[in-house]
Amino acid sequence: MSDEATVRADDRAHVFHSWSAQGLIDPMPIAEARGSHFWDYAGKRYLDFSSQLVNVNIGHQHPRLVAAIQEQAGKLCTVAPSFANDKRGEAARLIAELAPGDLNRVFFTNGGAEANENAIRMARIHTGRHKVLAMYRSYHGSTAAAISATGDPRRWANEPTAIGLVHFWGPYPYRSAFHAADETQESERALAHLRDTIAFEGPGTIAAVLLETVVGTNGILVPPPGYLAGVRAICDEYGIVLIADEVMAGFGRCGEWFAVDHWRVTPDLITFAKGVNSGYLPLGGVVISDPIAETFRERVFPGGLTYSGHPLACASAVASIQIFKEEGIIEHARMLGEEVIGPALREVAQRHPSVGEVRGLGVFWALELVRDQETREPLVPYNAAGPAAAPMNELAAACKQRGVWPFTHFNRVHVVPPCTITADEVAEGIAVLDEALTLADAHCT
Ligand SMILES: Cc1ncc(COP(=O)(O)O)c(C=O)c1O
């Protein structure tokens, strides 16, 4: 293994990093990782409360998953997508068996953005319409249509974007765009707003509604009762394709195989990536309903990727799904949410004036931090940077200093460890967060 100085020097001289001003970053070299932890070169251990980019659902270096990849590498590393391949077929079958309703086919990609890109392409050709409605407060990836669909500041610097992407407000009871008094009202009013948006955009122009089943990076916004079923009904009424982006929410994160299972709603297309194989190899895809697949029975699907259905990536998905089943990881994630993480965070919240709301499910939780619980003024402004973001940066630094790697975004801390984390490890991480939150409390008015 290289020494830390070499890793740093090569990185600084030659690696061009995502979403960064290259001269203003100092990426920490990681020496190794195992289970819920990773280590730096000084041997300092971090509890990964972020699952890297909320994708290492199975934990780091799961021995059976590593072995399955090694075994496949010894057999067949790559074949072109035009051939049939055992692991690709098996991965597609396993995913289709897990998916709800008539979602029986899988188009594989290398990640989440490409999955959304191709889902939009399918919906447009299937309906013969061009517009896609997506939410403010969303992230769908950084390729052309995916970043155009994105409803957060990452889109701004990419504008002008693809045409035909229209944004609407989703439900967010804590900061309701509809002045709703409770979840029921929020659900009803958000549905009425979607219906109005469709009426004014022209129902006959809209190919798809694209939404994150549970909004991830933009706040862990769990849809209120009735919302997803209501969106499904509206889409049915107007012949609009419903695309559920489960790149972050799927494969255990919400305590379900697919997050939609929690509400028993069947979309027309589900996009996935991250948790499908915990990022051990790049993999994503679109699960496709029978009617949409039928559109492409006699008609060519105009999209493809050299690595669509890559055997090594697909072998890792097959192994990961088997491990999830045999080790009861979905059930464990659900239990963590109901019995461990949710109760512990609610208890912590009682001690801290800076915690405005605790929300989530499974292993997908957010603490929304405020300066004042009454006014709900965010601890830092929307999209804060530089000195304005200091209170959140202090909090993150305090967690890291105490050996917990947090996920922070705007005025929130997300608690998103691997789905395999133990209750003791959760307690260890939340105890650190509890201490660090006193720094946020100091900013309360
Ligand atoms: C909900 C959602 N969709 C899409 C993406 C994009 O996935 P990728 O980075 O694999 O392209 C992400 C990534 O964080 C995501 O959270």
Side-chain angles (χ1 to χ4, degrees):
M1 190 166 61
S2 310
D3 62 287
E4 181 178 6
T6 309
V7 177
R8 255 185 218 285
D10 282 347
D11 183 89
R12 292 299 55 227
H14 302 295
V15 178
F16 195 94
H17 282 265
S18 310
W19 303 117
S20 300
Q22 305 301 311
L24 302 183
I25 54 171
D26 182 21
M28 185 174 96
I30 298 295
E32 57 177 312
R34 203 165 51 250
S36 303
H37 294 92
F38 60 86
W39 284 260
D40 69 13
Y41 275 70
K44 178 166 174 169
R45 190 180 82 153
Y46 293 90
L47 181 61
D48 193 351
F49 249 33
S50 158
S51 298
Q52 300 301 298
L53 283 182
V54 201
N55 65 321
V56 189
N57 294 10
I58 204 166
H60 293 276
Q61 296 298 113
H62 192 294
R64 289 179 59 197
L65 188 45
V66 172
I69 294 166
Q70 287 168 334
E71 193 186 329
Q72 180 65 28
K75 281 187 194 154
L76 181 67
C77 283
T78 192
V79 290
S82 49
F83 293 105
N85 169 257
D86 58 349
K87 290 299 176 188
R88 182 190 297 145
E90 191 178 358
R93 176 172 54 76
L94 290 175
I95 292 166
E97 283 170 5
L98 295 170
D102 63 353
L103 279 73
N104 289 318
R105 281 183 177 71
V106 180
F107 177 72
F108 287 109
T109 65
N110 298 293
E114 287 174 352
N116 286 322
E117 207 73 29
N118 282 286
I120 289 171
R121 174 181 274 148
M122 287 172 195
R124 284 181 166 153
I125 295 171
H126 176 71
T127 58
R129 305 170 179 175
H130 73 285
K131 278 184 197 159
V132 174
L133 305 193
M135 283 183 187
Y136 289 113
R137 296 197 174 92
S138 68
Y139 180 67
H140 295 293
S142 80
T143 54
I147 196 69
S148 307
T150 288
D152 83 15
R154 283 173 280 191
R155 188 184 72 249
W156 305 347
N158 285 289
E159 290 173 342
T161 47
I163 54 165
L165 273 299
V166 176
H167 289 90
F168 66 100
W169 294 103
Y172 182 8
Y174 188 68
R175 298 188 188 280
S176 172
F178 314 108
H179 309 286
D182 56 37
E183 286 207 322
T184 307
Q185 215 172 51
E186 181 73 359
S187 185
E188 287 166 6
R189 292 183 181 185
L191 288 169
H193 162 71
L194 176 59
R195 196 176 273 286
D196 284 347
T197 307
I198 290 170
F200 279 75
E201 287 296 330
T205 69
I206 300 167
V209 169
L210 165 63
L211 50 76
E212 293 177 68
T213 308
V214 173
V215 173
T217 305
N218 280 275
I220 312 203
L221 306 176
V222 183
Y227 182 71
L228 290 176
V231 175
R232 174 72 276 179
I234 291 172
C235 287
D236 286 343
E237 192 178 326
Y238 295 110
I240 295 170
V241 170
L242 176 56
I243 308 173
D245 177 344
E246 300 220 352
V247 169
M248 194 177 273
F251 287 95
R253 189 54 58 193
C254 292
E256 305 285 348
W257 285 104
F258 289 101
V260 287
D261 299 343
H262 191 83
W263 292 275
R264 299 187 193 290
V265 167
T266 305
D268 302 296
L269 298 170
I270 299 177
T271 56
F272 65 90
K274 298 188 186 267
V276 63
N277 64 347
S278 292
Y280 282 38
L281 285 148
L283 185 68
V286 188
V287 203
I288 309 161
S289 70
D290 287 342
I292 295 178
E294 192 57 31
T295 292
F296 300 101
R297 179 178 289 279
E298 304 286 331
R299 176 179 184 160
V300 172
F301 174 66
L305 301 154
T306 299
Y307 303 132
S308 177
H310 192 281
L312 215 45
C314 287
S316 70
V318 168
S320 180
I321 291 169
Q322 283 164 350
I323 295 165
F324 262 58
K325 287 179 179 170
E326 286 164 25
E327 297 186 1
I329 293 173
I330 300 290
E331 295 75 13
H332 183 69
R334 197 178 304 149
M335 180 284 292
L336 284 174
E338 288 168 5
E339 297 173 26
V340 181
I341 305 177
L345 290 179
R346 285 189 200 100
E347 202 250 323
V348 163
Q350 285 174 4
R351 284 194 286 282
H352 297 283
S354 59
V355 179
E357 188 177 57
V358 175
R359 55 177 179 260
L361 78 172
V363 196
F364 208 24
W365 289 84
L367 297 180
E368 172 137 4
L369 305 182
V370 293
R371 284 176 187 261
D372 182 325
Q373 292 184 341
E374 286 298 307
T375 65
R376 302 186 178 182
E377 181 193 348
L379 182 68
V380 300
Y382 185 75
N383 199 29
M392 288 303 295
N393 295 338
E394 281 168 17
L395 176 69
C399 290
K400 289 175 190 174
Q401 201 251 327
R402 291 166 171 79
V404 170
W405 199 269
F407 182 108
T408 58
H409 184 260
F410 296 169
N411 67 318
R412 284 169 272 105
V413 182
H414 293 186
V415 174
V416 285
C419 302
T420 48
I421 194 170
T422 65
D424 286 347
E425 288 168 338
V426 168
E428 183 191 315
I430 290 182
V432 164
L433 198 53
D434 190 6
E435 277 176 46
L437 280 167
T438 53
L439 294 172
D441 294 342
H443 298 281
C444 288
T445 48

